[in-house]
Amino acid sequence: MVHSAYDSFQLLNNCPTRIDAIGSYNLNLLVSCSDGCLRIYFPQSDRFPPSDRLHQTLQLQKQPYVLDRTVNGFTKKPMVAMEVIASRELLVSLSDSISFHRLPNLETIAVITKAKGANAYAWDDRRGFLCFARQKRVCIYRHDGGRGFVEVKEFGVPDTVKSMSWCGENICLGIKKEYIILNCTNGALTEVFPSGRYATPLVVSLPSGELLLGKDNIGMFVDQNGKLLQEGRISWSEAPAVVVIQKPYAIGLLPRHIEIRFLRAPYPLIQTIVLRNVHCLVQSSNTIIVALDNSIHGFFPVPLGAQIVQLTASGDFEEALSLCKLLPPEDSNLRAAKEQSIHIRYAHNLFENGSYEEAMEHFLESQVEMTYVLSLYPSIIIPKSSSLAETEGFMDITGDASDLSRGSSGISDDLDSLPQLSESDESAALESKKMNHNTLMALIKFLQKKRFSIVDKATAEGTEEVVSDAVGRHFKSYETSRHNKTNKGRLNIPINSGAREMAAILDTALLQALILTGQTSSALELLKGLNYSDLKISEEFLHKRNQNTCLLEIYRCNAMHHEALKLLHRLIEDSKADKHQTEITQKFKPEMIIEYLKPLCGTDPMIVLEYSMLVLESCPSQTIELLMSGNIPADLVNSYLKQHAPNMQATYLELMLAMDEHGISGNLQNEMVQIYLSDVLDWYTDLSSKQNWDEKASCPTRKKLLSSLEGISGYNPEVLLKRLPQNALYEERALLLGKMNQHELALSIYVHKLHVPELALSYCDRVYESGLLQQSVNTYNNIYLTLLQIYLNPQKTTKNYEKRITNLVSSQSNSTPKLGSWTTVKTKGGRLAKKIAEIEGAEVTRISPSSTDSGRSDGDADDRGEGEGSAIMLEEVLDLLSQRWDRIHGAQALKLLPRETKLQNLLPFLGPLLRKSSEAYRNLSVIKRLRESENLQVKDELYDQRKTVVKITGDSICSLCNKKIGTSVFAVYPNGNTIVHFVCFRDSQGMKAVAKKGTPIRKR
């Protein structure tokens, strides 16, 4: 929108002759007239003495000017152009040639005669270079700093130059048909683009170093290399004859008026000043000077403060912000206040018109309090804070800043007060608009951009408090202690909690906005990281909207583990109860409790124990893995289960044992077996009461008990044995007796109580194989002889069992007998024939439990047994001998057999035994012969070595002293070739012995 950027004022009227060129120096107007005179004008109200006027570093005044003096004959021909170079106090003029005069006395410095007939020139004030165009030539001169100019270079161009300007080190030329860049180093020409069809080429240098090139009524922007910039174009209403740049405006002289446009895209028209017959437009330090035929006008800039007020009032906020950047540095506070006010007004305007994201960008730029922006969203609930009171007075503060800016600008216009937010006047439609998706998305972006700095400040504030608390512990005085009580250990350091309050407001609002826009995943990411969300508000908000996942996360980040786990358990139970809610069923599973508990194993094991019980039954393996990986003592877990979930105690111990057999202690193994035994005893009692008990009956728990008794070794068998009934659970009793090394009693149970010889044989195999692992086979292979004895003496074994089992239980003794009741009968090997003869001719005796010969024959024993009404288990004996012949001592087994045992029945036992013995005999014989042969070879080699002959001649030389051996006593080294004197040999051996005693051995 058009506003007043310049005030036009007539400085001079009724000049005697036509004005050709104008310029300004301090307070003075320099006017070149058509009569060749240079007239100097000064302000009418100027009170300085005439001699001092030109020495004042002042600017043109907004008042009428009067003639000070006239310099006659200043030019011979009409002045084409005139320019004041204030930095060097020079006046450069183009008439019939280019002349330089010293200001203020107008002393002639130099006249460049070569510039006669020149039609355009350009001055580079930074380097002191002058370039001018004459016909189709471009000349470059350099000011030597004194009174002269030095010609630098001269180049030819394709056509007459109409306009020219420096662009860095090069020169941009506007000729008849195009614009070109002249390289001042080598004279190379670079085409830019064609000029306009009807307007004269126009080259204008910008303060940034870029160029504005005219193409009819379009102003094109190019860089110093002639490359077209993509920053838009200035569209004048007509083709300008002259363009002057005075930031932030471009002033163009058009045929019928003067246009002032903003020098920023889209380059809008700011002001139009109608003046006729303007033929000269130049820039002064603070003014634009416009020359008509006989009068001069000055365009004085309206103060920036006043322009900003106009633009803000008309809604041109972008232009107002651009002008704020031009305020002088000494008014930095004023500038900040104005920019903040404009940004806030602009943001409100954009917000009301639906440009929510742009509005938030301007709220950010204004650095307004976050609570002020959140007040636009009444449905977003934020925690109460001390900063809310500050926000209420914020608009008054900005209003005061606006008054200050108006006072400094000298304008009486008032800025409207900021829009006040009245909750009572809000309608339902407006509330709906402010809470739609787009407004919330804009708010999210606003909060996310502010979050980084606010959270950093809050974190730093927390760190400062921690440090203060740590330092405060070292102060013991009463005053310090009292201050610590009131300030929570902060000492005398004033710590403002505003940063954390703002962080809580921000995170609470951001969480609500994310949920309301359906960005649950982003809300979860926010909660998982460092956040300061208000617990009470967030919990209520999430609960109301059934955002259970976020609610769980906010409980977790606030260490409210009980609440989180209770909620999670309820959700899991609800998902089980309602199978139709597929979303809940898929989202909440028992495994989620396990995942939640994993980080708590090291910090709060009791919570882990309490809530792992909820999923131990549904996810047993994962729960046990959790308890094991969390380094929670297994004894603690077992104790907790025993107290709170006894039905899951056995399951836990089973899984523990299955996952790590060696990781479970003997106490826990004993606990597990005790649990199994208790269940089996209850089961046995129930069946016995119904008279349905059968020793061969089985149930899953009994199978587990038997497997545990056999597979693990950490329990106490003596304690378990006392709990067993006397007339039942014989298999369990046998396993316990085996653990106590009571092998005879265990085998007696298998044979005479359970009547299952296969179990007895399997038992013997286990004992024998364990002996292999312990490398004590000679001891454990007697287990088969024990079983053989039980088969051959059933009546005696049964009596011994009843007696010994009664004594074992009643004595409560912890001592356990060695393996079996039998000792090993050692036989020293001879030849195989001798062994067989010994077996066949030996007196058959029986081995008693005391490992001594009873002196009775087997036949006598059998007669006694038959008299008592007991028969031996001969078939089982023969089966045992035939199946385990390689593990039984043959001679001892034959001594135990009755005399009437037929040799034919022993063929399955003796056949392989004899074959193995014969094979062993043959192998040992071969080995013996081989060793004898090897012994003979060694002896033969020894004899050969002893037969070595050494021949001593007159030429034989001692290898040590290099003298002839002659008839001296000599010695020969083992290789048979090295001969030395015996004396030399003895001396060398003595030297070695001394060296070994006196010199330390060098280690390598």
Side-chain angles (χ1 to χ4, degrees), residues 162-203:
K162 301 295 184 180
S163 180
M164 63 191 309
S165 177
W166 286 96
C167 53
E169 302 281 333
N170 303 323
I171 304 173
C172 181
L173 306 175
I175 58 178
K176 185 175 182 181
K177 296 182 179 180
E178 61 183 346
Y179 292 99
I180 56 177
I181 300 292
L182 173 63
N183 189 317
C184 295
T185 303
N186 53 21
L189 298 175
T190 303
E191 295 183 2
V192 180
F193 55 76
S195 59
R197 290 178 295 176
Y198 57 86
T200 303
L202 180 62
V203 181

Short mmCIF file of all heavy atoms in Angstrom, two decimals, residues 162-203:
data_model
loop_
_atom_site.label_atom_id
_atom_site.label_comp_id
_atom_site.label_asym_id
_atom_site.label_seq_id
_atom_site.Cartn_x
_atom_site.Cartn_y
_atom_site.Cartn_z
N LYS A 162 26.01 4.66 -24.00
CA LYS A 162 24.94 5.53 -23.54
C LYS A 162 24.94 5.67 -22.01
O LYS A 162 24.55 6.70 -21.48
CB LYS A 162 23.59 4.98 -23.99
CG LYS A 162 23.45 4.85 -25.49
CD LYS A 162 23.48 6.20 -26.18
CE LYS A 162 23.25 6.06 -27.69
NZ LYS A 162 23.28 7.38 -28.37
N SER A 163 25.36 4.58 -21.33
CA SER A 163 25.36 4.58 -19.86
C SER A 163 26.44 3.62 -19.40
O SER A 163 26.73 2.63 -20.08
CB SER A 163 23.99 4.15 -19.31
OG SER A 163 24.00 4.14 -17.91
N MET A 164 27.04 3.93 -18.26
CA MET A 164 28.12 3.08 -17.77
C MET A 164 28.21 3.17 -16.25
O MET A 164 27.79 4.16 -15.63
CB MET A 164 29.45 3.46 -18.41
CG MET A 164 29.93 4.88 -18.08
SD MET A 164 31.33 5.43 -19.09
CE MET A 164 32.47 4.10 -18.93
N SER A 165 28.78 2.10 -15.66
CA SER A 165 28.95 2.08 -14.20
C SER A 165 29.99 1.00 -13.87
O SER A 165 30.13 0.00 -14.57
CB SER A 165 27.63 1.76 -13.49
OG SER A 165 27.84 1.68 -12.11
N TRP A 166 30.72 1.28 -12.80
CA TRP A 166 31.68 0.28 -12.32
C TRP A 166 30.93 -0.88 -11.68
O TRP A 166 29.93 -0.70 -10.99
CB TRP A 166 32.62 0.90 -11.29
CG TRP A 166 33.67 1.80 -11.86
CD1 TRP A 166 33.60 3.16 -11.97
CD2 TRP A 166 34.92 1.42 -12.42
NE1 TRP A 166 34.73 3.66 -12.55
CE2 TRP A 166 35.58 2.61 -12.83
CE3 TRP A 166 35.57 0.20 -12.60
CZ2 TRP A 166 36.83 2.60 -13.42
CZ3 TRP A 166 36.82 0.18 -13.19
CH2 TRP A 166 37.45 1.37 -13.59
N CYS A 167 31.45 -2.09 -11.91
CA CYS A 167 30.93 -3.29 -11.23
C CYS A 167 32.13 -4.09 -10.76
O CYS A 167 32.66 -4.95 -11.46
CB CYS A 167 30.02 -4.12 -12.13
SG CYS A 167 30.73 -4.57 -13.73
N GLY A 168 32.58 -3.76 -9.55
CA GLY A 168 33.77 -4.41 -9.04
C GLY A 168 35.01 -3.93 -9.78
O GLY A 168 35.29 -2.73 -9.87
N GLU A 169 35.77 -4.87 -10.34
CA GLU A 169 36.97 -4.54 -11.10
C GLU A 169 36.67 -4.24 -12.56
O GLU A 169 37.54 -3.79 -13.29
CB GLU A 169 37.95 -5.74 -11.03
CG GLU A 169 38.34 -6.15 -9.62
CD GLU A 169 39.40 -5.24 -9.05
OE1 GLU A 169 40.17 -4.68 -9.84
OE2 GLU A 169 39.46 -5.11 -7.80
N ASN A 170 35.43 -4.50 -12.99
CA ASN A 170 35.06 -4.34 -14.39
C ASN A 170 34.09 -3.19 -14.55
O ASN A 170 33.70 -2.53 -13.59
CB ASN A 170 34.47 -5.64 -14.93
CG ASN A 170 35.42 -6.82 -14.77
OD1 ASN A 170 36.62 -6.66 -14.93
ND2 ASN A 170 34.88 -7.99 -14.46
N ILE A 171 33.69 -2.97 -15.82
CA ILE A 171 32.78 -1.87 -16.13
C ILE A 171 31.61 -2.43 -16.93
O ILE A 171 31.81 -3.21 -17.88
CB ILE A 171 33.48 -0.77 -16.95
CG1 ILE A 171 34.74 -0.28 -16.22
CG2 ILE A 171 32.54 0.39 -17.21
CD1 ILE A 171 35.58 0.67 -17.05
N CYS A 172 30.40 -2.07 -16.50
CA CYS A 172 29.21 -2.46 -17.27
C CYS A 172 28.83 -1.29 -18.18
O CYS A 172 28.68 -0.14 -17.73
CB CYS A 172 28.06 -2.80 -16.32
SG CYS A 172 26.56 -3.32 -17.20
N LEU A 173 28.68 -1.58 -19.47
CA LEU A 173 28.39 -0.56 -20.47
C LEU A 173 27.03 -0.83 -21.09
O LEU A 173 26.69 -1.97 -21.42
CB LEU A 173 29.46 -0.59 -21.57
CG LEU A 173 30.92 -0.45 -21.11
CD1 LEU A 173 31.86 -0.62 -22.30
CD2 LEU A 173 31.15 0.90 -20.44
N GLY A 174 26.26 0.26 -21.22
CA GLY A 174 25.00 0.17 -21.94
C GLY A 174 25.14 0.86 -23.28
O GLY A 174 25.23 2.10 -23.33
N ILE A 175 25.23 0.06 -24.35
CA ILE A 175 25.34 0.64 -25.69
C ILE A 175 23.97 0.59 -26.35
O ILE A 175 22.97 0.29 -25.70
CB ILE A 175 26.42 -0.08 -26.51
CG1 ILE A 175 26.11 -1.57 -26.62
CG2 ILE A 175 27.79 0.10 -25.87
CD1 ILE A 175 27.12 -2.34 -27.46
N LYS A 176 23.94 0.84 -27.61
CA LYS A 176 22.66 1.06 -28.28
C LYS A 176 21.75 -0.16 -28.21
O LYS A 176 20.55 -0.04 -27.97
CB LYS A 176 22.92 1.47 -29.72
CG LYS A 176 21.64 1.85 -30.47
CD LYS A 176 21.97 2.37 -31.86
CE LYS A 176 20.70 2.80 -32.59
NZ LYS A 176 20.98 3.30 -33.96
N LYS A 177 22.34 -1.35 -28.45
CA LYS A 177 21.49 -2.53 -28.59
C LYS A 177 21.61 -3.52 -27.43
O LYS A 177 20.80 -4.44 -27.34
CB LYS A 177 21.83 -3.26 -29.89
CG LYS A 177 21.52 -2.43 -31.14
CD LYS A 177 21.83 -3.24 -32.39
CE LYS A 177 21.50 -2.44 -33.65
NZ LYS A 177 21.81 -3.21 -34.88
N GLU A 178 22.61 -3.38 -26.59
CA GLU A 178 22.80 -4.40 -25.56
C GLU A 178 23.64 -3.84 -24.41
O GLU A 178 24.18 -2.73 -24.48
CB GLU A 178 23.50 -5.63 -26.15
CG GLU A 178 24.89 -5.33 -26.71
CD GLU A 178 25.54 -6.53 -27.35
OE1 GLU A 178 25.04 -7.64 -27.14
OE2 GLU A 178 26.55 -6.36 -28.05
N TYR A 179 23.71 -4.70 -23.38
CA TYR A 179 24.58 -4.42 -22.24
C TYR A 179 25.77 -5.39 -22.31
O TYR A 179 25.61 -6.58 -22.62
CB TYR A 179 23.84 -4.64 -20.92
CG TYR A 179 22.74 -3.64 -20.67
CD1 TYR A 179 21.40 -3.96 -20.92
CD2 TYR A 179 23.04 -2.38 -20.17
CE1 TYR A 179 20.39 -3.04 -20.68
CE2 TYR A 179 22.03 -1.44 -19.93
CZ TYR A 179 20.71 -1.78 -20.19
OH TYR A 179 19.72 -0.87 -19.96
N ILE A 180 26.97 -4.86 -22.02
CA ILE A 180 28.16 -5.68 -22.05
C ILE A 180 29.00 -5.38 -20.81
O ILE A 180 28.90 -4.31 -20.22
CB ILE A 180 29.00 -5.45 -23.32
CG1 ILE A 180 29.38 -3.97 -23.46
CG2 ILE A 180 28.27 -5.95 -24.55
CD1 ILE A 180 30.28 -3.69 -24.67
N ILE A 181 29.83 -6.38 -20.42
CA ILE A 181 30.76 -6.24 -19.31
C ILE A 181 32.17 -6.15 -19.91
O ILE A 181 32.58 -7.03 -20.66
CB ILE A 181 30.68 -7.42 -18.33
CG1 ILE A 181 29.28 -7.54 -17.73
CG2 ILE A 181 31.72 -7.30 -17.23
CD1 ILE A 181 28.89 -6.43 -16.81
N LEU A 182 32.86 -5.06 -19.57
CA LEU A 182 34.22 -4.84 -20.08
C LEU A 182 35.22 -5.25 -19.00
O LEU A 182 35.20 -4.72 -17.88
CB LEU A 182 34.42 -3.37 -20.43
CG LEU A 182 35.86 -2.95 -20.81
CD1 LEU A 182 36.33 -3.67 -22.07
CD2 LEU A 182 35.94 -1.45 -20.98
N ASN A 183 36.06 -6.21 -19.34
CA ASN A 183 37.12 -6.64 -18.44
C ASN A 183 38.25 -5.63 -18.50
O ASN A 183 38.90 -5.45 -19.53
CB ASN A 183 37.63 -8.03 -18.84
CG ASN A 183 38.57 -8.62 -17.81
OD1 ASN A 183 39.45 -7.92 -17.29
ND2 ASN A 183 38.41 -9.91 -17.52
N CYS A 184 38.51 -4.96 -17.37
CA CYS A 184 39.49 -3.89 -17.36
C CYS A 184 40.93 -4.40 -17.41
O CYS A 184 41.86 -3.60 -17.53
CB CYS A 184 39.30 -3.02 -16.11
SG CYS A 184 37.73 -2.15 -16.10
N THR A 185 41.10 -5.69 -17.31
CA THR A 185 42.46 -6.23 -17.37
C THR A 185 42.90 -6.50 -18.79
O THR A 185 43.99 -6.10 -19.22
CB THR A 185 42.53 -7.53 -16.54
OG1 THR A 185 42.12 -7.24 -15.20
CG2 THR A 185 43.95 -8.10 -16.53
N ASN A 186 42.03 -7.18 -19.54
CA ASN A 186 42.42 -7.57 -20.91
C ASN A 186 41.50 -7.01 -21.98
O ASN A 186 41.69 -7.28 -23.16
CB ASN A 186 42.46 -9.10 -21.02
CG ASN A 186 41.17 -9.74 -20.55
OD1 ASN A 186 40.12 -9.10 -20.51
ND2 ASN A 186 41.24 -11.02 -20.20
N GLY A 187 40.49 -6.24 -21.57
CA GLY A 187 39.60 -5.64 -22.55
C GLY A 187 38.57 -6.58 -23.12
O GLY A 187 37.87 -6.23 -24.09
N ALA A 188 38.41 -7.79 -22.55
CA ALA A 188 37.44 -8.74 -23.07
C ALA A 188 36.02 -8.24 -22.80
O ALA A 188 35.74 -7.64 -21.75
CB ALA A 188 37.65 -10.10 -22.42
N LEU A 189 35.13 -8.48 -23.75
CA LEU A 189 33.74 -8.05 -23.65
C LEU A 189 32.84 -9.27 -23.46
O LEU A 189 32.98 -10.27 -24.16
CB LEU A 189 33.33 -7.28 -24.89
CG LEU A 189 34.10 -5.98 -25.18
CD1 LEU A 189 33.67 -5.38 -26.50
CD2 LEU A 189 33.87 -4.97 -24.05
N THR A 190 31.92 -9.16 -22.51
CA THR A 190 30.97 -10.24 -22.24
C THR A 190 29.56 -9.69 -22.39
O THR A 190 29.20 -8.71 -21.72
CB THR A 190 31.16 -10.79 -20.80
OG1 THR A 190 32.52 -11.23 -20.65
CG2 THR A 190 30.24 -11.95 -20.55
N GLU A 191 28.78 -10.31 -23.25
CA GLU A 191 27.40 -9.87 -23.46
C GLU A 191 26.55 -10.27 -22.26
O GLU A 191 26.68 -11.36 -21.71
CB GLU A 191 26.83 -10.50 -24.74
CG GLU A 191 27.54 -10.04 -26.01
CD GLU A 191 26.90 -10.63 -27.25
OE1 GLU A 191 25.89 -11.37 -27.09
OE2 GLU A 191 27.40 -10.37 -28.34
N VAL A 192 25.65 -9.35 -21.88
CA VAL A 192 24.74 -9.62 -20.77
C VAL A 192 23.37 -9.99 -21.32
O VAL A 192 22.94 -11.13 -21.26
CB VAL A 192 24.66 -8.41 -19.83
CG1 VAL A 192 23.72 -8.69 -18.66
CG2 VAL A 192 26.06 -8.06 -19.29
N PHE A 193 22.67 -9.03 -21.88
CA PHE A 193 21.42 -9.28 -22.60
C PHE A 193 21.09 -8.02 -23.40
O PHE A 193 21.63 -6.93 -23.13
CB PHE A 193 20.26 -9.67 -21.65
CG PHE A 193 20.00 -8.67 -20.55
CD1 PHE A 193 19.33 -7.47 -20.79
CD2 PHE A 193 20.40 -8.94 -19.25
CE1 PHE A 193 19.09 -6.57 -19.79
CE2 PHE A 193 20.16 -8.04 -18.24
CZ PHE A 193 19.51 -6.85 -18.50
N PRO A 194 20.20 -8.10 -24.37
CA PRO A 194 19.87 -6.93 -25.20
C PRO A 194 19.19 -5.85 -24.37
O PRO A 194 18.49 -6.13 -23.40
CB PRO A 194 18.93 -7.51 -26.26
CG PRO A 194 19.20 -8.98 -26.27
CD PRO A 194 19.57 -9.33 -24.87
N SER A 195 19.39 -4.64 -24.78
CA SER A 195 18.71 -3.51 -24.13
C SER A 195 17.30 -3.38 -24.69
O SER A 195 16.88 -4.15 -25.55
CB SER A 195 19.51 -2.22 -24.34
OG SER A 195 19.66 -1.96 -25.72
N GLY A 196 16.57 -2.37 -24.20
CA GLY A 196 15.20 -2.21 -24.63
C GLY A 196 15.07 -1.75 -26.08
O GLY A 196 16.02 -1.30 -26.71
N ARG A 197 13.85 -1.81 -26.57
CA ARG A 197 13.61 -1.46 -27.97
C ARG A 197 13.45 0.04 -28.16
O ARG A 197 13.79 0.57 -29.21
CB ARG A 197 12.34 -2.17 -28.47
CG ARG A 197 12.52 -3.68 -28.60
CD ARG A 197 11.23 -4.32 -29.05
NE ARG A 197 10.18 -4.17 -28.04
CZ ARG A 197 8.92 -4.59 -28.21
NH1 ARG A 197 8.56 -5.14 -29.35
NH2 ARG A 197 8.03 -4.42 -27.24
N TYR A 198 12.95 0.72 -27.14
CA TYR A 198 12.70 2.15 -27.35
C TYR A 198 13.33 3.01 -26.28
O TYR A 198 13.48 4.22 -26.48
CB TYR A 198 11.18 2.42 -27.41
CG TYR A 198 10.42 1.98 -26.18
CD1 TYR A 198 10.30 2.80 -25.06
CD2 TYR A 198 9.81 0.75 -26.16
CE1 TYR A 198 9.60 2.39 -23.96
CE2 TYR A 198 9.10 0.33 -25.06
CZ TYR A 198 8.99 1.14 -23.95
OH TYR A 198 8.29 0.72 -22.85
N ALA A 199 13.70 2.49 -25.17
CA ALA A 199 14.27 3.30 -24.10
C ALA A 199 15.79 3.29 -24.18
O ALA A 199 16.41 2.33 -24.63
CB ALA A 199 13.81 2.78 -22.74
N THR A 200 16.40 4.35 -23.68
CA THR A 200 17.85 4.45 -23.65
C THR A 200 18.40 3.49 -22.58
O THR A 200 17.82 3.36 -21.51
CB THR A 200 18.28 5.88 -23.29
OG1 THR A 200 17.71 6.77 -24.23
CG2 THR A 200 19.79 6.02 -23.28
N PRO A 201 19.51 2.80 -22.88
CA PRO A 201 20.08 1.89 -21.86
C PRO A 201 20.40 2.64 -20.57
O PRO A 201 20.84 3.80 -20.60
CB PRO A 201 21.34 1.36 -22.54
CG PRO A 201 21.08 1.50 -24.00
CD PRO A 201 20.26 2.75 -24.16
N LEU A 202 20.18 1.96 -19.47
CA LEU A 202 20.36 2.57 -18.16
C LEU A 202 21.09 1.59 -17.25
O LEU A 202 20.62 0.47 -17.03
CB LEU A 202 19.00 2.94 -17.55
CG LEU A 202 19.02 3.60 -16.17
CD1 LEU A 202 19.75 4.94 -16.22
CD2 LEU A 202 17.59 3.78 -15.65
N VAL A 203 22.26 2.00 -16.74
CA VAL A 203 23.05 1.15 -15.83
C VAL A 203 23.13 1.86 -14.49
O VAL A 203 23.61 3.00 -14.41
CB VAL A 203 24.47 0.89 -16.38
CG1 VAL A 203 25.24 -0.01 -15.40
CG2 VAL A 203 24.40 0.25 -17.75
#
